[in-house]
């Protein structure tokens, strides 16, 4: 009886279903980020604040030297691009036309000349203001609230490429309104200007700022000490699902090299920021930096984890006893895993390839990105980690089992090559449910139930080996009824990185949509679910009856 009803409902769903569209070939998700084309990977550069605050050693000579060192020390080559100045660059009063005036003692040739110098080094230039009547420093420099268009136009005329926009003296005006006004003012200049929201996480910007800024601070200010760095990490880590290319969580600038932490702690700081796909803004005076500091800041393997184009912020796998395991899937199918010991003694930290989302292989290679040693494992991943230390492995699959057997198979019955999911693990033949593995309920979209399929939560990325022997993927997709009318997602299917199907935006109020995609010849199938652009919450997404047909 129940079966017959199920068949009827499924047939009905097939009738109303839309066909899929074949689209462009990009691997980079575009849903709901600020569409100014910037920060497709987290921004990298320098900001003077952590090194100088408002002191007089923050001046033209310093900033020019930083640009020089970016080139001479290989920082530019390692990916650092923006040379940014923070608070205290302006005079306390606007001029008679209401324009901001650079402080002539610090910047005798003005800001435009400084930006020109930075540009001449093949770098980009950023500055700072506040979405308030004054900036944050007690000296009280003018803020841009109510002056958005005029200030943005002036900065654009100077060649500014980046704005850090603070939150002090905001007069209680709604944050979203204040930051949106500046977003629009920057856009009106016609110059691409990266927009870095610095609102300290006070109004949960991760729930509204994806379309407003390229990044948003998630916490109060960092300090050059272990306790502050640790507490910021702990606040920023659970926000992984809100980050995406063009729109990043910002746990504040780096303190690496400033002297308040050990090199082991600074390596942890840098590793954790990279695992969290954080902006990497050097905050030390590079004129005084020793080789240990430069070695940390230029570790290209760790930088590659931060800058990976898949753009997924690493997620917590476990954290028992302050022994953190954080996993970050990478574009080439590897997974970076951070084993971070927040405790006071050496500890063994262990996980497995399966727990970090890798599967369907006989062996895995572990590349230690700090010691640069490499070894293989059949699945166990473990390291002895000193107090406050972090081991980062790039884990690669070796000896994958090639293809599903001939005929049509349910994907939920096959081992995945890679699984990354924003709310606990993806479920097989169940909805995502809550975070624990194996919970959830019968997959249900718009009242239609599915015995088989995958229950996920955006952002989700699941990959299967096809061994180039399969022809067609089909599924009935939609937002699971377990979230009511909430949730909004986009389903995408890729064959070897080529997009072969896209559901378009599906909301909790929509029914089932059919996807059918030609995957002929592909070695790898990617099933991607992106947040549809409202809040990134309640995005429970079902791949109902997901099948693959192989020769
Ligand atoms: C605030 C910001 C800091 C820095 C100072 C400058 O505290 O959060 O990052 O810009 O203002 O005054």
């Amino acid at each position: 009886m129940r079966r017959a009803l199920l068949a009827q409902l499924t047939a009905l769903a097939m009738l109303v279903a839309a066909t899929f569209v074949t689209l462009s070939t990009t691997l980079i998700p575009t849903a709901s980020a600020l569409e100014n084309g910037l920060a497709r990977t987290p921004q990298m550069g320098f900001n003077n604040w952590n090194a100088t605050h408002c002191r007089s050693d923050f001046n033209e000579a310093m900033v020019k030297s930083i640009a020089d060192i970016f080139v001479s020390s290989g920082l530019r080559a390692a990916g650092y691009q923006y040379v940014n100045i923070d608070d205290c660059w302006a005079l306390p009063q606007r001029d008679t036309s209401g324009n901001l005036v650079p402080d002539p003692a610090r910047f005798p040739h003005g800001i435009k000349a400084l930006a020109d110098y930075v540009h001449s080094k093949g770098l980009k230039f950023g500055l700072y203001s506040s979405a308030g009547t004054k900036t944050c420093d007690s000296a009280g420099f003018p803020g841009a609230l109510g002056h958005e268009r005029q200030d943005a136009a002036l900065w654009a005329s100077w060649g500014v490429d980046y704005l850090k926009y603070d939150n002090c003296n905001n007069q209680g005006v709604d944050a979203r309104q204040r930051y949106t006004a500046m977003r629009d003012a920057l856009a009106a200049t016609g110059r691409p200007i990266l927009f870095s929201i610095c609102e300290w996480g006070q109004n949960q910007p991760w729930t509204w700022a994806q379309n407003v800024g390229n990044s948003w601070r998630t916490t109060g200010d960092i300090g050059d000490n272990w306790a502050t760095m640790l507490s910021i990490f702990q606040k920023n880590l659970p926000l992984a699902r809100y980050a995406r290319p063009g729109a990043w969580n910002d746990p504040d600038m780096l303190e690496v090299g400033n002297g308040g932490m050990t090199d082991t702690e600074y390596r942890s700081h840098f590793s954790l920021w990279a695992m969290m796909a954080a902006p990497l803004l050097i905050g030390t005076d590079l004129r005084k930096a020793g080789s240990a500091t430069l070695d940390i800041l230029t570790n290209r393997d760790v930088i590659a984890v931060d800058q990976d184009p898949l753009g997924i912020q690493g997620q917590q796998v476990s954290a028992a006893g302050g022994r953190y395991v954080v996993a970050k899937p990478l574009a080439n199918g590897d997974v970076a895993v951070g084993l971070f010991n927040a405790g006071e003694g050496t500890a063994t930290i262990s996980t497995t390839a399966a727990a970090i989302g890798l599967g369907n292989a006989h062996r895995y290679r572990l590349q230690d990105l700090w010691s640069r040693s490499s070894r293989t494992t059949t699945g166990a991943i473990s390291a002895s980690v000193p107090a406050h230390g972090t081991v980062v492995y790039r884990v690669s699959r070796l000896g994958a089992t090639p293809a599903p057997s001939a005929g049509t198979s349910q994907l939920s019955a096959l081992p995945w090559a890679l699984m990354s999911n924003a709310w606990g693990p993806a479920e097989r033949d169940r909805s995502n449910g809550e975070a624990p593995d194996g919970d959830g309920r019968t997959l249900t979209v718009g009242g239609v139930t599915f015995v088989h399929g995958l229950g996920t939560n955006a952002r989700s990325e699941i990959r299967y080996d096809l061994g180039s022997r399969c022809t067609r993927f089909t599924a009935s997709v939609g937002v699971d009824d377990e979230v009511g009318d909430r949730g909004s997602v986009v389903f995408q299917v890729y064959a070897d990185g080529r997009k072969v199907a896209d559901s378009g935006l599906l909301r909790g109020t929509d029914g089932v949509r059919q996807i059918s995609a030609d995957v002929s010849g592909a070695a790898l199938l990617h099933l991607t679910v992106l947040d549809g652009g409202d809040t990134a919450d309640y995005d429970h997404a079902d791949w109902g009856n997901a099948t693959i047909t192989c020769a």
Side-chain angles (χ1 to χ4, degrees):
M1 181 63 199
R2 196 163 161 265
R3 267 214 173 151
L5 182 66
L6 193 87
Q8 267 181 357
L9 283 170
T10 310
L12 190 69
M14 306 275 262
L15 272 176
V16 298
T19 41
F20 72 94
V21 241
T22 304
L23 283 146
S24 71
T25 57
T26 173
L27 242 182
I28 310 298
T30 52
S32 89
L34 178 58
E35 297 299 342
N36 62 2
L38 301 172
R40 303 308 301 171
T41 61
Q43 61 264 36
M44 293 175 65
F46 169 87
N47 174 299
N48 65 285
W49 184 257
N50 288 346
T52 65
H53 286 197
C54 213
R55 290 191 311 268
S56 61
D57 52 335
F58 165 50
N59 57 32
E60 181 180 290
M62 180 211 193
V63 181
K64 287 171 90 171
S65 308
I66 298 296
D68 295 342
I69 296 168
F70 261 36
V71 178
S72 62
S73 296
L75 290 157
R76 183 183 69 178
Y80 294 93
Q81 188 182 20
Y82 290 97
V83 175
N84 299 344
I85 64 174
D86 209 280
D87 200 357
C88 310
W89 61 265
L91 285 180
Q93 302 300 329
R94 292 171 179 270
D95 69 14
T96 47
S97 316
N99 284 321
L100 296 164
V101 184
D103 179 345
R106 292 183 198 269
F107 299 104
H109 301 93
I111 299 295
K112 179 163 191 323
L114 185 60
D116 288 348
Y117 184 84
V118 170
H119 290 151
S120 77
K121 300 289 168 182
L123 299 165
K124 293 187 186 297
F125 178 76
L127 55 60
Y128 163 100
S129 185
S130 181
T133 48
K134 285 180 192 296
T135 64
C136 293
D137 191 82
S138 53
F141 302 98
L145 186 65
H147 297 263
E148 290 86 356
R149 297 268 165 161
Q150 181 174 10
D151 289 354
L154 183 65
W155 299 329
S157 78
W158 289 344
V160 167
D161 306 299
Y162 184 119
L163 175 68
K164 170 179 173 180
Y165 201 38
D166 219 329
N167 194 33
C168 287
N169 304 300
N170 60 49
Q171 310 302 312
V173 181
D174 174 68
R176 193 170 181 163
Q177 192 182 318
R178 287 181 290 118
Y179 287 95
T180 303
M182 183 54 81
R183 172 197 68 185
D184 296 343
L186 294 175
T189 68
R191 186 177 174 86
I193 299 177
L194 191 153
F195 188 29
S196 156
I197 295 175
C198 176
E199 174 272 4
W200 322 312
Q202 283 194 343
N203 300 278
Q204 305 198 304
W206 46 90
T207 64
W208 53 264
Q210 277 89 3
N211 297 308
V212 182
N214 294 112
S215 61
W216 51 86
R217 283 271 298 276
T218 55
T219 70
D221 287 6
I222 196 166
D224 184 21
N225 60 79
W226 166 255
T228 307
M229 190 279 288
L230 176 62
S231 92
I232 289 181
F233 161 72
Q234 289 166 332
K235 288 179 189 138
N236 196 70
L237 184 63
L239 302 175
R241 69 179 178 280
Y242 302 103
R244 70 204 57 178
W248 307 103
N249 289 310
D250 176 6
D252 206 358
M253 304 175 290
L254 299 169
E255 291 283 7
V256 175
N258 283 338
M261 291 183 246
T262 66
D263 286 343
T264 296
E265 292 169 341
Y266 282 141
R267 271 190 294 276
S268 284
H269 177 18
F270 195 71
S271 302
L272 297 172
W273 264 230
M275 291 297 300
M276 295 192 296
L280 298 178
L281 292 166
I282 296 168
T284 196
D285 187 343
L286 289 166
R287 294 172 299 183
K288 302 174 197 156
S291 62
T293 296
L294 284 172
D295 285 350
I296 294 171
L297 295 173
T298 57
N299 183 320
R300 298 229 185 178
D301 296 328
V302 176
I303 290 172
V305 170
D306 181 77
Q307 294 290 302
D308 186 80
L310 195 57
I312 296 181
Q313 175 174 333
Q315 277 183 278
Q316 179 176 307
V317 176
S318 56
R323 296 184 301 278
Y324 285 86
V325 176
V326 180
K328 184 180 196 287
L330 305 174
N332 75 343
D334 293 349
V335 174
V337 59
L339 307 176
F340 167 49
N341 179 6
E344 302 306 319
T346 299
T348 298
I349 305 184
S350 304
T351 185
T352 63
I356 63 168
L358 285 173
N360 196 35
H362 306 303
R363 285 176 305 127
Y364 301 84
R365 185 175 59 238
L366 305 180
Q367 274 175 273
D368 183 323
L369 304 188
W370 288 109
S371 77
R372 298 191 160 87
S373 63
S374 194
R375 62 191 168 87
T376 62
T377 166
T378 55
I381 298 171
S382 187
S384 171
V385 187
H388 298 188
T390 303
V391 170
V392 185
Y393 291 125
R394 180 185 265 264
V395 189
S396 318
R397 301 189 308 141
L398 301 171
T401 307
S405 45
T408 298
S409 313
Q410 287 289 339
L411 281 177
S412 61
L414 302 175
W416 44 52
L418 176 82
M419 182 279 296
S420 161
N421 193 61
W423 188 237
E427 302 287 354
R428 297 170 157 107
D429 301 335
R430 311 288 294 161
S431 65
N432 192 107
E434 294 302 324
D437 196 1
D439 70 348
R441 45 170 223 173
T442 303
L443 294 157
T444 313
V445 178
V448 183
T449 59
F450 301 95
V451 175
H452 295 295
L454 302 165
T456 74
N457 189 119
R459 180 170 177 185
S460 168
E461 178 85 16
I462 305 179
R463 299 182 180 179
Y464 291 93
D465 293 305
L466 301 185
S468 309
R469 294 221 324 265
C470 303
T471 51
R472 185 149 294 272
F473 166 80
T474 64
S476 303
V477 301
V479 176
D480 194 278
D481 288 2
E482 70 188 352
V483 293
D485 285 351
R486 294 171 295 197
S488 65
V489 299
V490 177
F491 293 80
Q492 295 178 339
V493 181
Y494 294 84
D496 285 344
R498 184 171 45 89
K499 183 149 75 170
V500 292
D502 189 309
S503 70
L505 181 66
L506 288 178
R507 298 183 183 282
T509 45
D510 293 328
V512 172
R513 189 155 302 179
Q514 290 304 125
I515 281 187
S516 174
D518 181 357
V519 297
S520 302
L524 211 57
L525 172 73
H526 299 202
L527 304 181
T528 297
V529 185
L530 302 175
D531 158 45
D534 41 18
T535 68
D537 289 323
Y538 302 105
D539 287 344
H540 291 220
D542 295 348
W543 298 91
N545 202 24
T547 69
I548 189 80
T549 302
C550 306

